[in-house]
Amino acid sequence: MAGTKTVNTANKPDPQTRSNSTRVAHKNPLRVLLLTFLLAMGSTPLFAQEDSYEFKFAPDLWYNDVDGIRVGVRVLGEEAFQEGPHQIDAGLWLSTWFPDLPVSYYFSITEPFRNTSNYANKGSAQLISSIRTGFSMHRFQFNKRWQPGFDEYDYKELSIYFSFEKMYDYEYRIFPGLWQKEYKGILGLKYRYSINQESGRFIGLIDFMAIEADASVGTIELIQRFDLSDSFKLRLRGFAGLGTEKLSRQYQFMAGLSPAYSTLQKGLTRAKGTIPQPWMESGFIHTSGGANLRGYIASDLNNIKNSDLPLYLSFYALNTELEFPNPLNSAIKRLKYIGNLTELRSYLFIDAGKGFGFDADEGTVYEGDIISDPGFISDAGLGLQISFNIPDYLGKDRGIFIRYDIPFWLSNPEQNDPNFKYRNLIGVGAIFSF
């Protein structure tokens, strides 16, 4: 990607080799016993009720290249409508390839503040603990939600948390060179604002993390939909990310790919192999997040392969989509049942942005010269997005977004590449999710 690369001359990706921890385990009585127990627990939803408190169990299967098939049980504990105390969301899994740490878990318990909460304005304290896919996280968090009326799309949400985290196993990472293996104490804040306006829905998101005593990073997203007519919609997304000089690699920004840290928030990208690794390395798969300049994914990946990490301490971007009608969506909407759960959007898009690096002293993330002004870059193309909203075992909504994007024009293509060219990718997750 000509003129858009931040060059690092130190902290190259650590050499990674596949350890013996991912061998297929031989059969033994302990493994058979654990598998039998987990499958028995998850084969049929169970309900245990006492004083209107209910536990729901459901089976869970997943796959990655380190754990193999991960077999487990998910648990949801709550009173009716999640209004009561001790809301529990948990999971326990066994890795059938028996790596070094074959048992993993996620546990969250939320305690509402009854004196300061009502149906629309909730406050709570939350404890989260998780060890899975080579990453440990233990967090204490305060949450507050304000909803002025009965419209659940008009609200404000604030979370303040302290988290102790460590990425302890490179083997799970899709791109290990984007990570540093160290403990992190994080003081964080998340704020989300959503409102339905006459012109369309607006969403604002702020995310800030103070990492240890010497680094911090913050992002702002502003998303606006304009309903131009029943058939035409304009979507705008402004993104700004700013990090300090000593920011670790996993929190830094790229033009096309999302920051490595954000991959932990999505089940499909939490570990390598859930999406086949050759697909991820080819640039054919794009996961939403960060600057989202979807035409520059291949450039990011080529730089990663060459150990010249395409990282920026700051990045500013604008994503636009103009949705136009298509007959396939109209036909889908007329189908019984399916029409209420499925939508097929067609759109033209333009992405534009600019990244910045900073000169750094010896001993920080960077050592050496940095191209501080990579220049303004942009792309344009055509896309389709199909979305499904399918409740899971426990009744929670699952919004699944799959995009097919064709960024046929780039302002700064790679060397010897023309500006206009047929390029295509599959996107997982919506850039504009309302």
Side-chain angles (χ1 to χ4, degrees):
M1 181 170 59
T4 63
K5 181 177 66 176
T6 299
V7 179
N8 296 274
T9 59
N11 290 309
K12 300 299 184 184
D14 297 328
Q16 300 300 317
T17 57
R18 187 173 183 85
S19 73
N20 293 330
S21 65
T22 55
R23 65 188 181 278
V24 178
H26 60 279
K27 290 185 178 180
N28 58 65
L30 175 61
R31 180 186 179 200
V32 173
L33 178 63
L34 286 171
L35 282 171
T36 303
F37 171 76
L38 290 171
L39 289 172
M41 287 286 290
S43 60
T44 306
L46 304 174
F47 301 90
Q49 188 165 331
E50 182 179 351
D51 296 331
S52 76
Y53 197 84
E54 185 177 79
F55 284 101
K56 301 178 183 178
F57 295 84
D60 192 63
L61 291 174
W62 205 247
Y63 175 85
N64 63 61
D65 281 351
V66 181
D67 294 321
I69 297 175
R70 199 181 67 179
V71 183
V73 177
R74 291 177 53 211
V75 183
L76 184 67
E78 61 182 359
E79 283 188 339
F81 307 108
Q82 297 185 359
E83 293 298 320
H86 312 310
Q87 297 164 19
I88 295 173
D89 185 1
L92 178 67
W93 300 275
L94 175 67
S95 304
T96 57
W97 283 5
F98 271 64
D100 290 337
L101 191 61
V103 177
S104 56
Y105 74 90
Y106 172 86
F107 179 81
S108 168
I109 183 168
T110 304
E111 175 67 24
F113 299 136
R114 289 187 177 273
N115 295 334
T116 60
S117 298
N118 54 44
Y119 171 77
N121 300 281
K122 300 178 182 178
S124 63
Q126 185 176 10
L127 181 65
I128 304 171
S129 180
S130 174
I131 297 179
R132 57 180 173 178
T133 63
F135 191 84
S136 68
M137 186 268 286
H138 311 284
R139 175 179 295 184
F140 184 71
Q141 180 168 302
F142 292 99
N143 306 300
K144 180 62 179 175
R145 177 185 172 97
W146 297 269
Q147 183 179 314
F150 292 100
D151 187 346
E152 294 187 354
Y153 291 105
D154 288 355
Y155 65 88
K156 302 172 187 175
E157 286 183 344
L158 174 67
S159 295
I160 299 173
Y161 63 87
F162 177 75
S163 186
F164 190 66
E165 306 178 358
K166 183 182 181 181
M167 196 286 291
Y168 60 85
D169 193 342
Y170 283 115
E171 197 170 8
Y172 285 91
R173 305 286 70 86
I174 297 173
F175 302 113
L178 299 178
W179 287 84
Q180 288 173 275
K181 195 173 180 179
E182 52 193 343
Y183 284 100
K184 296 291 183 184
I186 299 174
L187 179 63
L189 178 148
K190 293 178 180 289
Y191 178 76
R192 183 182 180 96
Y193 174 69
S194 174
I195 186 171
N196 277 322
Q197 303 171 321
E198 286 189 15
S199 57
R201 191 174 168 198
F202 172 81
I203 296 176
L205 304 103
I206 298 173
D207 193 340
F208 174 79
M209 292 187 293
I211 305 165
E212 299 295 346
D214 58 355
S216 61
V217 61
T219 61
I220 298 176
E221 291 182 62
L222 302 176
I223 304 172
Q224 177 69 62
R225 185 186 70 208
F226 294 98
D227 298 326
L228 305 178
S229 68
D230 292 339
S231 301
F232 290 88
K233 296 179 175 62
L234 176 65
R235 291 174 165 86
L236 302 176
R237 175 183 180 266
F239 172 84
L242 178 64
T244 58
E245 290 185 20
K246 296 184 179 181
L247 190 65
S248 298
R249 291 192 291 258
Q250 58 260 36
Y251 305 105
Q252 295 180 40
F253 305 99
M254 292 173 279
L257 298 173
S258 59
Y261 180 78
S262 69
T263 62
L264 299 173
Q265 313 307 317
K266 305 177 179 72
L268 291 173
T269 56
R270 189 172 290 128
K272 70 177 181 181
T274 304
I275 297 176
Q277 185 70 3
W279 295 9
M280 298 298 295
E281 294 177 355
S282 70
F284 185 58
I285 298 292
H286 173 240
T287 57
S288 60
N292 276 313
L293 272 67
R294 57 201 105 177
Y296 291 90
I297 298 168
S299 296
D300 284 352
L301 290 170
N302 286 337
N303 290 330
I304 292 172
K305 292 174 185 176
N306 294 330
S307 298
D308 294 330
L309 301 183
L311 300 173
Y312 307 110
L313 292 179
S314 302
F315 213 105
Y316 305 92
L318 177 67
N319 310 116
T320 65
E321 290 183 358
L322 177 62
E323 181 180 340
F324 57 88
N326 66 78
L328 284 176
N329 187 54
S330 300
I332 290 173
K333 289 300 182 184
R334 288 194 293 268
L335 296 176
K336 190 175 182 180
Y337 304 121
I338 296 177
N340 294 328
L341 302 174
T342 308
E343 182 181 29
L344 179 65
R345 296 176 46 233
S346 53
Y347 50 86
L348 296 167
F349 67 83
I350 298 175
D351 305 315
K354 185 175 182 179
F356 299 86
F358 297 88
D359 290 332
D361 297 327
E362 184 80 5
T364 61
V365 174
Y366 299 120
E367 296 175 3
D369 296 330
I370 296 174
I371 300 172
S372 59
D373 186 2
F376 179 85
I377 57 177
S378 57
D379 61 50
L382 177 70
L384 288 172
Q385 175 182 291
I386 188 166
S387 60
F388 308 93
N389 185 18
I390 304 173
D392 65 10
Y393 292 112
L394 301 177
K396 293 183 177 180
D397 287 342
R398 289 186 299 186
I400 302 172
F401 302 88
I402 301 174
R403 293 176 283 109
Y404 181 67
D405 289 332
I406 307 172
F408 53 73
W409 178 82
L410 302 183
S411 65
N412 293 66
E414 291 191 287
Q415 190 174 7
N416 301 323
D417 244 6
N419 295 90
F420 285 92
K421 177 183 175 180
Y422 177 73
R423 308 172 180 90
N424 66 110
L425 57 92
I426 297 294
V428 180
I431 294 176
F432 299 86
S433 179
F434 289 97

